Amino acid sequence: MLKFFLAALLLSAGAVTAQGVKTFEIKDTQGFDKPMVAYSVNVPQDWSVEGLISWQKPCSGNDYFEMGLIARAPDGLSGYRIMPGYQIMYFDVSPTGLDPQLAQMLVANNEAELNKLRTQFRGSNCHVGRVTGTQQLFQNLILNHRPPGVKVLKSEQNTQVMQQYQAMFGQTVPGMRSYYDATITALGYQMGGHPIEEVIVFSWYAFLLDALPGVASSSSQHVVVDQIRLGWINPARRAQDEAALQLITSSLKVDPAWQQKIDAFYKKLAADRSKNSEEAARQRDIQRRRDEATRDEQHRQFLQMITQ
């Protein structure tokens, strides 16, 4: 089963023909001046399907918009889902060599800032906490939301995504470290008295700013869990369910007109950031010139005073 999902959940080629197929359009009604079709996907005729592009959303793995999709068989014992990602943030302060009251105040201030984020992120896919690795993330975000008795049947590294991460984060930046991992994991559990096999494509990356030396050194961690893809089947009808999932994954396609809009959005975003950066640099240069002129005038007045 895991080998099948290595292809199916990663949207491999090889469409499957099936009788009683319907096409579902995932629409973006929030991002642009008029509703647009963002994606289309084929599903079995008797399956229920829901999907949307959400820009007006709580905090999640993507800062701008999220895609959500869930397709299920009539009895719910098989299906496919694309879930929004997560962000987890944490920062810490370690006062050393300070007066105990001042050290306690710094720690309390740090915790107060973390509590502000906890309040801000409430009800969203963003959280506050220190991340130790894949096992912790997978336990908290996936396994804790499965029925009691869930078992990990098999797990292996997702080499395709790992290669993408290596290309993205290959260069090191002084004072900052990056971590990442990508896995494909098969689970087994019971749903309504029926055995279920589920495969989850799970990946994440993190940036860690190293603690700066000093009397009150600080460090921070920012973790992003990418969009999560998962599919589940009833082993009693394995061939039928796997054919349905392959139909879905092989037919999920982005609409070219919507993709052009998204590309233009990111291009404008990059241009605005560059412009803002250039303007900030210009303002810093203006301030520098003003400061130099002020110092020159002060120096002139001083020389004038002492020579009188």
Side-chain angles (χ1 to χ4, degrees):
M1 177 192 174
L2 189 59
K3 185 180 292 186
F4 164 77
F5 277 104
L6 287 173
L9 290 184
L10 293 175
L11 307 183
S12 66
V16 173
T17 60
Q19 294 181 348
V21 172
K22 61 184 178 184
T23 299
F24 178 78
E25 294 180 340
I26 303 172
K27 295 185 178 180
D28 181 353
T29 62
Q30 301 173 357
F32 303 104
D33 54 351
K34 62 180 181 179
M36 298 185 68
V37 174
Y39 290 85
S40 63
V41 61
N42 294 333
V43 299
Q45 183 67 43
D46 59 345
W47 280 36
S48 63
V49 56
E50 301 174 31
L52 78 162
I53 303 294
S54 178
W55 294 74
Q56 301 168 4
K57 62 178 184 61
C59 182
S60 61
N62 188 318
D63 289 335
Y64 304 106
F65 64 89
E66 289 287 3
M67 171 191 174
L69 173 68
I70 182 165
R72 286 179 285 206
D75 59 7
L77 298 180
S78 52
Y80 179 79
R81 186 176 183 184
I82 299 176
M83 298 172 55
Y86 295 82
Q87 291 189 56
I88 304 99
M89 303 175 194
Y90 190 77
F91 44 87
D92 195 11
V93 61
S94 302
T96 56
L98 295 179
D99 176 82
Q101 288 187 335
L102 180 57
Q104 186 177 6
M105 184 182 301
L106 288 173
V107 172
N109 287 341
N110 185 79
E111 186 61 28
E113 292 300 317
L114 291 174
N115 285 332
K116 287 181 183 179
L117 285 180
R118 292 184 179 103
T119 301
Q120 176 185 338
F121 294 158
R122 189 172 297 154
S124 75
N125 275 20
C126 286
H127 304 284
V128 175
R130 192 190 300 273
V131 173
T132 59
T134 301
Q135 183 175 352
Q136 177 204 23
L137 285 171
F138 199 80
Q139 180 70 47
N140 291 335
L141 300 179
I142 302 297
L143 295 181
N144 288 350
H145 302 278
R146 294 301 180 271
V150 59
K151 295 181 180 180
V152 175
L153 305 178
K154 187 176 182 181
S155 185
E156 58 188 51
Q157 195 170 73
N158 187 337
T159 55
Q160 180 179 340
V161 176
M162 287 296 288
Q163 289 172 359
Q164 294 173 356
Y165 281 165
Q166 288 166 4
M168 291 171 58
F169 307 121
Q171 295 183 342
T172 59
V173 177
M176 184 176 72
R177 289 174 286 163
S178 59
Y179 300 90
Y180 48 84
D181 195 14
T183 59
I184 301 176
T185 303
L187 305 178
Y189 52 85
Q190 294 285 318
M191 180 188 296
H194 298 275
I196 298 296
E197 294 178 3
E198 180 181 11
V199 170
I200 299 171
V201 177
F202 188 86
S203 60
W204 63 277
Y205 56 90
F207 300 105
L208 176 65
L209 294 179
D210 293 325
L212 298 175
V215 295
S217 63
S218 61
S219 61
S220 65
Q221 182 188 64
H222 185 182
V223 177
V224 176
V225 177
D226 276 329
Q227 189 182 70
I228 301 170
R229 296 172 182 255
L230 54 92
W232 66 98
I233 68 167
N234 180 353
R237 58 186 192 214
R238 182 180 303 277
Q240 176 185 341
D241 284 354
E242 289 187 348
L245 293 184
Q246 189 173 356
L247 168 69
I248 293 170
T249 57
S250 63
S251 66
L252 181 61
K253 292 181 174 61
V254 64
D255 185 88
W258 183 78
Q259 185 63 59
Q260 288 180 358
K261 287 279 191 179
I262 293 297
D263 292 343
F265 166 78
Y266 279 117
K267 184 176 181 180
K268 182 178 184 302
L269 195 66
D272 290 344
R273 285 175 174 171
S274 176
K275 182 178 179 181
N276 291 338
S277 178
E278 291 173 359
E279 177 61 20
R282 189 179 73 85
Q283 291 297 334
R284 286 195 299 270
D285 185 62
I286 291 174
Q287 187 61 45
R288 180 183 60 80
R289 293 173 185 271
R290 287 174 178 170
D291 293 342
E292 289 177 351
T294 299
R295 287 193 296 270
D296 288 346
E297 177 60 21
Q298 291 173 341
H299 184 62
R300 186 191 67 79
Q301 292 178 0
F302 174 73
L303 290 176
Q304 185 179 33
M305 179 185 68
I306 64 176
T307 55
Q308 286 179 347

